Structures are given as structure tokens and as C-alpha cells.
Amino acid sequence: SGSGSGSANGTNGNNGALATNNTKMKHQGSQLSLPKKKSSVFGASSNLVNSIVGAGIIGIPYALRMSGLWAGLFLLLLVGLFTDKSLRILIEQASFHPRFRSLPAPVLTFEDLASYPFGKFGSGFVLFNMFVMAYGAMVAYLLIIKDTVPTVMGYEHGTHLLERNFILILVSLLVMLPLSMQRDMASLSITSTISVAADVVLVVFVAAYSPIQDTVATNGGIGRIMQTDSVHSTLFVGLGILSTAMACQHSAFIVANSLNDKTRRRWKWVTNQSIALAAVLCAILGVCGYLGFLDDTQGDVLNNFPVGSVEADGARILLALTMVFTYPMESFVARHVLIMLVHNGDMDARGGFTPENESKLADEELGDDDYGHGNGAGDDDDDDDN
């Protein structure tokens, strides 16, 4: 009888703690404006690949130079596996863990998941780092566009400053801004597919035009390079470049929430396909770019090609196209952070998902059957009709 009483008390205590956490998470999760448009597995995969393979891919050859050929390839594989695992852990924990699934409102953001164990500090810490990652990438993309598009059009770096700035402003206003103003990330699936296609062509371009044969022959042949180029003392510099190039956790929840019929299996397909394709593209471009220039490989491998040559201009056009269509991916993350901080997640300026209007807004955005709000709303409507 004493054991039974103790078990009952323990159970009641756990239920009470869970109820407290449920209330807390309901308040936090109910602030977010949810996507109205969803994407397929292919669309979500395109968006995730696009968020991974951004400007970082042109730095992979330099990462192999810093870490060594064999060590760099091993680290690329390791970073890819860890990235895939982390993406799946984040979404599976938030969306499919039994304890979180029992909450009145779902955990739909990275900061909500961090706030569960760490409170407001965890939420603020995640939001801060998400913004830093996204904003830094956006600035880098703008600089790359300014450095590539005007150059291809004949306005060399260091001259025609007014024209170069005007071209950057024009591309930003006419292309990147409209894409960044889309409400849902699912709307970017087509441009992300174009961006990934441009990445594939860019990889083929670098692989085809890198002077691999001449460079390898000058350095004693491929066998000697394989034997001697294993691990370098600057290994961790290469690891940092590879880790940054594959980083996409800050956009994981936005991509996952855009996935139609989100399940563990479908999210696993998205992450597996995306990470595998990104890793393969990075490996091919990295190996070909590095073997083409070896110790002369620059941080931007395109700078190794002769200025004004067909291969250099073609590669820069493809890179600029990728940057234009990748910029909105990071813009979505930065916008999400600002909306959460300034408007409590209410993107549509309708008061947010407060406990008072949660059911009404859920019916409007998600349909009557989502999150269990539809039954109550339907009963109310029936009563009013009667």
C-alpha cells in the first residue's frame, strides 16, 4: 500500500510537471504564423540543398588544401553525417517525441525547442545565432554578386564603382527582394531547383576546366600526391571551412514546416537526399579544384582561373545565379528572427496565435482537422446555424 501510494504520488508529480510544461509550451508555440503553402519531398529537398550549397562550395578546394586531401575528404564525410543526424534529431525531437506530441500546441521552431530545457535564455541564444548566421551569409552573397555580375558585364573590380553599385542595387531590387518577400518557403522550391541545377553545372565547369593533368604531372603524378598529401598541420582550418559550408541547422525548422505531410520517414528522405547531394557536389568540386591548383588554391577557387577567360566568366555567371536564388533562403531565417522578436511570430498582423484566437486562426490557416481545433470550431458553427 505504501509503494502504491508512492507510485501514485510520483505519477501525480510527473503529470503536474508535464502539465506545467504543456502550459508553457502552448504559450510559446502559439505565437507563430504557420505556412499556408506546403512543398513536396522534392521541393523541400531542393530548398535544403540550396541552403547548404551556397557560397561555401567555392571554398571547398581551399579546405582540402588546408586539411590535406585524404583528411579533407574524411572530414567532409564526417561533417555530412553529423549534419544529417543533427537535422533529424532536431525535427524528430520537436515533432515526434511523445512528450512534445502531447503538448496542446506543437513545437515548430528551433527557439521553442531550446526554451523547453533552457527557458528564455535558450530561446534568445538560438535566435541570436540564427540571425548572425543568416545575416552574415546575406552580406557574403551580396558581396559575391557585386564581385561577379559587374565583372562579367565588363566593369572590372576597382573601376566603375558607380556602375558596379548600380548593378548590385538593380539585381537586389528586381530579383532578390521579390523572392525574399514570399510568405512561405515552399514558394521558393522552383528557384531552389534552378539554383541546385546551376551548382551542378558549376561543379562540372570547374572539373572540366581545372588544369588537373598539367598540375598533377608537374608534382610527380597522382600516385605521389595520394601518398604525400594526407594530413596537414592546418587541419582544423579546413574543418572550420567544411563545417561552415555544410551548416544549415538554422533553417531546418522552416524547411521542415514547409514539408507537406511531415512524417519521420519523409523528413529522413529530405535530409538524406539533400546531404548526400550536397556532399557529392562539394567532394567533386573540392577534389577537382584542389588537384588543379594544389598549393596555389585560393579561398575562392574561381580566382585561380584567368580573368576574362570563358571558363572564368561562365563559372562566375553560374555562381551569381546561385547566389541570387540562395539569398532568399537566408533572408527567410533572418526575417523569422525579427518577426519572433518584434511581432511575437505574427507574420500576418492579426494578433498572433494567442489563446483567445488560436482556434479561429488555426481553422483559417490549416483547416478544421489540424491540431484538434477543427472539432470545437465546427461545433460552434453548427450551434450558430441552429
Side-chain angles (χ1 to χ4, degrees):
S1 127
S3 298
S5 175
S7 299
N9 291 337
T11 302
N12 293 336
N14 291 335
N15 290 340
L18 180 57
T20 301
N21 288 331
N22 285 353
T23 303
K24 176 182 177 182
M25 292 306 296
K26 177 179 179 180
H27 174 70
Q28 293 175 351
S30 64
Q31 302 294 322
L32 185 68
S33 292
L34 300 174
K36 295 179 180 179
K37 184 177 181 181
K38 300 286 185 131
S39 58
S40 63
V41 170
F42 179 80
S45 299
S46 298
N47 283 332
L48 188 57
V49 173
N50 194 23
S51 66
I52 299 171
V53 186
I57 191 172
I58 59 176
I60 301 300
Y62 184 75
L64 297 186
R65 173 190 167 186
M66 291 290 99
S67 58
L69 182 59
W70 289 111
L73 289 175
F74 173 76
L75 290 176
L76 178 60
L77 175 62
L78 192 65
V79 169
L81 291 174
F82 283 162
T83 302
D84 178 77
K85 186 65 175 179
S86 64
L87 290 174
R88 288 166 55 191
I89 287 177
L90 284 173
I91 302 305
E92 290 181 5
Q93 179 76 9
S95 301
F96 306 111
H97 191 280
R99 188 166 187 178
F100 286 99
R101 286 175 67 92
S102 65
L103 297 174
V107 180
L108 297 173
T109 64
F110 203 156
E111 62 271 16
D112 279 346
L113 182 63
S115 70
Y116 192 73
F118 300 112
K120 291 183 178 180
F121 173 80
S123 177
F125 181 80
V126 167
L127 287 172
F128 173 78
N129 284 279
M130 287 174 63
F131 186 81
V132 169
M133 288 284 295
Y135 186 77
M138 291 163 63
V139 172
Y141 295 162
L142 289 174
L143 292 176
I144 291 174
I145 291 171
K146 183 181 178 180
D147 192 45
T148 54
V149 177
T151 302
V152 172
M153 296 177 66
Y155 300 103
E156 296 294 336
H157 183 72
T159 61
H160 306 285
L161 181 61
L162 182 62
E163 290 84 351
R164 292 173 67 89
N165 289 334
F166 177 75
I167 292 173
L168 174 62
I169 294 173
L170 200 65
V171 173
S172 301
L173 291 179
L174 296 182
V175 183
M176 292 189 294
L177 181 60
L179 291 175
S180 300
M181 292 177 66
Q182 298 297 310
R183 186 188 186 279
D184 299 320
M185 184 170 282
S187 302
L188 301 178
S189 57
I190 296 178
T191 56
S192 291
T193 303
I194 297 174
S195 178
V196 173
D199 283 321
V200 173
V201 178
L202 175 62
V203 170
V204 174
F205 220 82
V206 173
Y209 286 100
S210 293
I212 300 176
Q213 186 174 359
D214 294 340
T215 304
V216 169
T218 303
N219 287 271
I222 190 66
R224 178 175 176 79
I225 293 175
M226 292 293 184
Q227 291 176 358
T228 59
D229 201 347
S230 55
V231 181
H232 294 170
S233 59
T234 52
L235 172 72
F236 290 101
V237 176
L239 177 59
I241 297 173
L242 293 171
S243 300
T244 304
M246 296 290 287
C248 59
Q249 289 83 355
H250 58 298
S251 60
F253 280 85
I254 301 178
V255 175
N257 291 335
S258 71
L259 177 62
N260 187 34
D261 187 23
K262 181 174 64 176
T263 63
R264 283 182 174 176
R265 186 177 183 183
R266 287 170 66 82
W267 178 243
K268 182 180 179 180
W269 286 349
V270 170
T271 59
N272 286 350
Q273 294 174 7
S274 303
I275 299 301
L277 178 58
V280 169
L281 292 177
C282 289
I284 295 174
L285 189 143
V287 171
C288 293
Y290 175 60
L291 291 179
F293 305 101
L294 291 177
D295 291 339
D296 294 326
T297 304
Q298 299 186 35
D300 178 355
V301 70
L302 300 184
N303 290 334
N304 285 104
F305 293 95
V307 177
S309 61
V310 175
E311 56 269 28
D313 288 344
R316 286 189 174 92
I317 291 174
L318 292 169
L319 179 63
L321 182 63
T322 300
M323 295 300 96
V324 167
F325 289 147
T326 305
Y327 181 93
M329 304 297 298
E330 302 298 337
S331 176
F332 264 66
V333 177
R335 186 182 71 180
H336 167 80
V337 174
L338 294 178
I339 290 174
M340 292 302 299
L341 293 177
V342 179
H343 299 291
N344 294 323
D346 179 19
M347 187 186 305
D348 303 311
R350 292 173 299 167
F353 276 151
T354 61
E356 291 77 18
N357 65 9
E358 179 180 5
S359 179
K360 180 179 68 175
L361 295 179
D363 289 343
E364 179 182 339
E365 293 193 349
L366 300 178
D368 291 338
D369 294 327
D370 290 329
Y371 302 128
H373 297 306
N375 294 335
D379 293 339
D380 293 338
D381 292 340
D382 292 339
D383 291 339
D384 292 339
D385 293 339
N386 292 335

